[in-house]
Amino acid sequence: MIVVFGSLNVDMLMTVDALPRPGETVLCPGYVLVPGGKGANQACAAARAAGKERAVAMIGSVGGDEWGTLAQHLLVDAGVDVAGIGQSDRPTACASIWIDKAGENAIIVASGANLDTTAASVPDRLLTDDNWLVLQMEVPIEENFELIDRAHAQGTKILLNVAPARVVPAATLDKVDVLVVNEIEAEMVAQQEGEGADGDALQLARTLAGRHDLACIVTLGSEGAIAVQGDAAWRIGA
């Protein structure tokens, strides 16, 4: 089983000609509401990729509002087990996403119910050496670190996506099997450990993979992604 611990949002997408500058009001024709959140996106993608080969469960929180139902819509359609999604007194998280005509974006996330997602909501029976635990950084990070400690102690394989970029203790990275970062996040993780960040994604991946004995994947936007584990390296297009 793949157990995803993390965020569920409703995303409000607005397409504009140009992103607003400070103090500027920009008009657009309309908006679209869609399910999102980095955790829910991971769970949905995992379920679609795995099909019937491996079960996927989502652990997170939504509010007792209509958006809570919308946030789970694609997960249910993809066959994700949503029994571990709890109801919070806070509203379901919402992300306001502005996208300009060049494809650049700016995002503000109101965390809402995601702030009530706790490591204690993941039962030990899901943390086995046959399972994967997948995490990102849109829930309280101390809950991530606590859960990683528990999962590592029980032999669960761990994938951590450091997005959005936050400080991760070296001791936590030592317990991770797969680290996923974009170029900015890779630089931030390297810098927090006193490493120089020269913008060379491959070298950053080699540094992080070697220092923490893990597989490091660096996503490169339109240029795809690279991965490093041990002495081996791979590159794939977008």
Side-chain angles (χ1 to χ4, degrees):
M1 174 179 281
I2 299 169
V3 180
V4 180
F5 176 78
S7 58
L8 299 97
N9 299 351
V10 170
D11 293 345
M12 179 179 292
L13 308 177
M14 300 182 188
T15 302
V16 296
D17 288 335
L19 299 177
R21 296 167 296 181
E24 180 182 15
T25 298
V26 173
L27 300 179
C28 69
Y31 62 89
V32 178
L33 291 177
V34 295
K38 295 184 185 301
N41 290 346
Q42 288 173 329
C44 188
R48 288 175 174 176
K52 296 181 179 180
E53 297 299 315
R54 186 184 286 262
V56 178
M58 178 78 208
I59 309 293
S61 304
V62 295
D65 45 41
E66 293 183 0
W67 282 13
T69 302
L70 175 58
Q72 300 176 72
H73 173 66
L74 289 181
L75 298 179
V76 173
D77 282 355
V80 175
D81 181 346
V82 297
I85 298 176
Q87 184 171 307
S88 165
D89 291 334
R90 304 177 197 259
T92 301
C94 177
S96 177
I97 303 173
W98 310 338
I99 308 162
D100 71 14
K101 59 185 178 183
E104 294 295 331
N105 63 60
I107 304 172
I108 298 175
V109 179
S111 295
N114 288 332
L115 295 175
D116 290 332
T117 297
T118 66
S121 62
V122 183
D124 283 342
R125 62 179 174 79
L126 295 182
L127 301 178
T128 70
D129 57 8
D130 292 327
N131 288 354
W132 277 88
L133 174 66
V134 177
L135 313 95
Q136 15 47 59
M137 307 292 280
E138 286 189 326
V139 298
I141 57 174
E142 63 272 11
E143 301 297 331
N144 271 355
F145 302 157
E146 178 182 333
L147 185 56
I148 287 171
D149 287 345
R150 282 176 52 208
H152 178 73
Q154 295 182 217
T156 309
K157 293 173 284 293
I158 299 167
L159 182 152
L160 174 64
N161 185 355
V162 187
R166 313 277 291 276
V167 173
V168 182
T172 298
L173 291 174
D174 288 340
K175 297 169 184 173
V176 169
D177 296 282
V178 180
L179 178 69
V180 182
V181 285
N182 64 22
E183 290 178 277
I184 294 172
E185 293 152 0
E187 290 182 1
M188 180 174 177
V189 174
Q191 286 174 340
Q192 80 183 31
E193 299 189 337
E195 294 288 341
D198 60 4
D200 184 330
L202 180 58
Q203 184 56 47
L204 288 171
R206 289 191 188 281
T207 297
L208 294 171
R211 173 165 290 192
H212 299 288
D213 189 25
L214 50 76
C216 182
I217 299 170
V218 181
T219 59
L220 304 171
S222 62
E223 296 184 13
I226 58 174
V228 172
Q229 185 171 31
D231 294 330
W234 301 266
R235 179 181 290 270
I236 189 169

